[in-house]
Amino acid sequence: MDFVVGGLAGVGAGFFSNPFDVVKTRMQLQGELRAKGQHAVYYRNIPHAMATIVKHDGISALQKGLVPALWFQLFVNGVRLGIYQQADDYGLLRDEDNNTIFVNSFLFGSIAGMCGGLVGSPLQLVKTQLMSYSSEKIAVGTQHGHPGTIFALTRIYKQNGFLGLWRGAHGMMMRNSIGSASQIASYAVFREWMDNNNFFQQSKYLSAFVASNFGAIVKTIALTPMDVIMTRLYNQGVGENGRGILYNGIIDCARKITKTEGLLAFYKGMGPSYLRQAPHTILLLVFWDILKDLQKNLALES
């Protein structure tokens, strides 16, 4: 049941944060392997990016990739929050005073995130390619032209085989491991600190709201460089040998980005990334608390 609760919390959060994910993906692909000033800038900032997308692709384009995004949230957060909760249930995360041990929380958050990333990688692959596809006038990155999720999964499978659905999974696993560990550990420790010092105690969920904001900030800073690499790995074209055309892997991608675009390129799309992570983290973790409380109440009643 812990896995179902975590998955449903992720789906609820994913619906509201998806437009910022679309903007983030476009901005991360803009100027791919081009030096600053040597490429067209279609997306200058978040409001401009949203207005540009609506103008050329229609308002529905802000929810591109929503179907695989919600399935991704269901599987990834079901796995990672389920594993983390199981670790908590077995007493692996807290000391004798029932306070979260940061190192343990970080470690299990990392392991849980990596497992979730492996399970959800095919959906993230499709989601990225659907989000990047746009009108030719504002196109950035490789344009795959999938009309939908099932078509995309089928096409990728036919062209690159079963393992082709997990192309770039190593990037997703590392990205999710970093993001999950930083998000969950910072949220748990900061919330307990507020509870122990009587900050924001007017409501149980108010402290969860404030702590999840802190978790979103920490996660965005820690996650963005690996998120840029993951987006590039997923969206690149594939050659006849089934290997990526632009990048051979995480290290090769990082090296090429540094060489051509500079170190600041690893923080492309950080603004929309935070505006995605903030509501997503808040909704995810607050929904998670609410659903866990509902689960406990149902168990007591039965």
Side-chain angles (χ1 to χ4, degrees), residues 15-87:
F15 180 83
F16 294 100
S17 63
N18 197 66
F20 293 109
D21 206 4
V22 173
V23 172
K24 179 208 71 171
T25 299
R26 302 279 183 93
M27 293 182 77
Q28 288 178 342
L29 291 169
Q30 185 168 247
E32 185 172 20
L33 298 185
R34 299 280 186 88
K36 187 176 181 179
Q38 296 183 7
H39 61 84
V41 179
Y42 301 118
Y43 311 107
R44 293 199 295 268
N45 49 51
I46 299 167
H48 180 261
M50 287 188 162
T52 300
I53 291 170
V54 171
K55 177 181 177 180
H56 291 277
D57 295 337
I59 194 168
S60 62
L62 292 173
Q63 286 288 15
K64 278 196 172 185
L66 180 63
V67 172
L70 295 185
W71 281 107
F72 173 82
Q73 293 298 331
L74 180 65
F75 284 113
V76 170
N77 286 300
V79 170
R80 81 177 182 101
L81 296 182
I83 290 175
Y84 188 85
Q85 187 61 48
Q86 287 288 303

Side-chain angles (χ1 to χ4, degrees), residues 87-98:
D88 196 13
D89 292 343
Y90 280 99
L92 301 175
L93 303 180
R94 301 176 185 273
D95 59 21
E96 59 273 11
D97 297 321
N98 203 37

